[in-house]
C-alpha cells in the first residue's frame, strides 16, 4: 500500500481510519478449525453428543433436534428463488429468552440478538441506508457478516396492541426478506439494491410469532424446567470448543452431501404417494414448497447423523419429524414425545 496514502479527514473516509483497497481476495472454507478438529474427536462422534447435550438443555428431544439442525443450517446455494439449507425457526412457548440465547451464544461463532419491541421497530431502519450528506453507508441493525445467527426476541413485547411508527413497516419487510429469501435490500435513496445474505434466523416467542412467519415452528414443553445452558457450562473448555468446531464443520459439509440417482427417485416416489394420500392434506400449490422443506430437513438429518450420503432412511426420519412438528403446532399442546430418532 506504499504510495497510496488517503486523506482520512475527507468526508468520504472515517477520520483516523486508513483505507484498505482490496484488489482480489479468495474465501477460505475451513482453515484453522479444520486443523484443530484433526486433533479432536471426529465430527461423527461429536454431533450425537451435541444432540444429547441439547436435550439436557431444553428438556425435549424434538426441540433439541431442530435446534441442532438450525445451528448447522447455512444458505450455501439458491435454486430460482428458493434458499437451500436455510432453516428459519420459530421457537414457541418461550417465557424467558435468556436460556436459549445463552445456549446459542455458547455454540455459535457469531450471534446477533435483536429484541423486537415498539422502540426497536420504530426508531431506526434495520437495513443499511446511504447518507448523501456524509457520502457514507449507514449500517443497519441487520448488516451482519455471513454466518451470523440472528435471534429475534419477541418475549419482551407487551401483550395486546403495540403502538409502532416510523420505520416499523419497512423493518418488518426487511425481516421478512431475510427470513424467506435470505436477501436484504440496501437503500441508496434513488434505488434499492438487494444483497444475498447467509443469516440463520431464530424467533423466540411465547406464542406463535406476531410479526414474522417462519416455515419451521417448534413448541417447548409446557411443563418442566426452562431451557438452560448449564449442561454446556459444565463442559471442559476444550470439549466446548470441539462442539463449536464440529458445528462449523457441519455447515461446510452440507453442500457435499451426495444424493444418488436411486435415492432421489425413491424420495420422489415416496413424496408422490404422500401427496396422493387424502390424510396428508397437501394442496396442489403447496407441494413444491413442502418438498423443498423436507429435502432441507433430510440433508440436515444426514449431516447430523455424521453421514455424507443421503439415504431413504434419512428421508423417512425427516418426514416423521416434520409430521410430529406440524401436529404439535396444530394442537398447540406438547404431549408425549416418541423415542429418539438418532439413537
Amino acid at each position: 500500500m506504499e504510495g497510496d496514502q488517503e486523506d482520512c479527514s475527507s468526508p468520504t473516509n472515517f477520520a483516523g481510519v486508513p483505507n484498505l483497497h482490496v484488489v482480489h481476495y479468495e474465501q477460505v472454507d475451513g482453515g484453522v478449525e479444520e486443523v484443530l478438529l484433526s486433533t479432536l474427536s471426529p465430527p461423527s462422534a461429536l454431533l450425537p453428543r451435541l444432540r444429547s447435550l441439547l436435550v439436557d438443555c431444553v428438556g425435549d428431544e424434538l426441540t433439541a433436534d431442530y435446534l441442532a439442525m438450525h445451528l448447522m443450517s447455512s444458505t450455501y446455494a439458491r435454486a430460482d428463488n428458493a434458499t437451500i439449507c436455510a432453516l428459519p425457526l420459530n421457537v414457541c412457548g418461550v417465557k424467558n429468552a435468556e436460556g436459549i440465547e445463552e445456549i446459542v451464544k455458547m455454540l455459535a461463532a457469531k450471534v446477533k440478538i435483536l429484541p423486537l419491541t415498539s422502540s426497536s421497530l420504530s426508531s431506526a431502519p434495520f437495513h443499511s441506508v446511504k447518507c448523501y450528506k456524509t457520502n457514507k453507508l449507514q449500517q443497519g441493525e441487520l448488516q451482519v457478516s455471513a454466518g451470523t445467527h440472528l435471534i429475534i426476541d419477541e418475549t419482551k413485547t407487551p401483550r395486546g396492541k403495540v403502538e409502532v411508527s416510523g420505520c416499523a413497516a419497512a423493518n418488518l419487510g426487511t425481516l421478512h426478506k431475510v427470513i424467506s429469501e435470505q436477501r436484504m435490500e440496501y437503500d441508496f435513496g434513488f434505488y434499492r439494491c438487494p444483497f444475498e445474505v447467509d443469516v440463520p434466523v431464530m424467533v423466540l416467542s411465547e406464542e406463535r410469532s406476531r410479526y414474522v412467519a417462519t416455515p419451521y415452528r417448534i413448541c417447548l414443553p409446557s411443563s418442566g424446567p426452562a431451557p438452560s445452558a448449564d449442561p454446556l457450562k459444565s463442559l471442559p473448555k476444550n470439549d466446548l470448543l470441539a462442539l463449536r468446531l464440529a458445528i462449523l464443520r457441519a455447515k461446510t459439509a452440507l453442500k457435499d452431501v451426495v444424493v444418488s440417482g436411486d435415492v432421489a427417485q425413491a424420495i420422489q416416489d415416496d413424496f408422490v404417494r404422500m401427496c396422493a394420500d387424502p390424510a396428508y392434506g397437501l394442496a396442489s400449490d403447496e407441494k413444491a414448497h413442502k418438498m423443498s422443506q423436507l429435502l432441507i430437513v433430510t440433508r440436515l438429518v444426514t449431516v447430523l447423523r455424521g453421514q455424507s450420503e443421503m439415504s431413504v432412511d434419512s428421508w423417512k426420519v425427516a418426514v416423521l419429524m416434520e409430521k410430529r412438528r406440524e401436529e404439535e403446532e396444530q394442537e398447540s399442546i406438547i404431549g408425549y414425545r416418541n423415542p429418539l430418532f438418532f439413537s
Side-chain angles (χ1 to χ4, degrees), residues 10-14 129-138:
S10 166
T12 61
N13 297 299
F14 292 98
V129 179
K130 179 67 177 288
C131 176
Y132 284 93
K133 289 183 178 180
T134 61
N135 202 30
K136 295 174 183 175
L137 188 67
Q138 297 177 329

Side-chain angles (χ1 to χ4, degrees), residues 227-245:
S228 169
D230 288 345
L232 296 174
K233 292 179 181 178
S234 64
L235 292 176
K237 185 176 180 180
N238 285 345
D239 288 5
L240 183 60
L241 173 63
L243 291 175
R244 290 168 63 101
L245 295 175

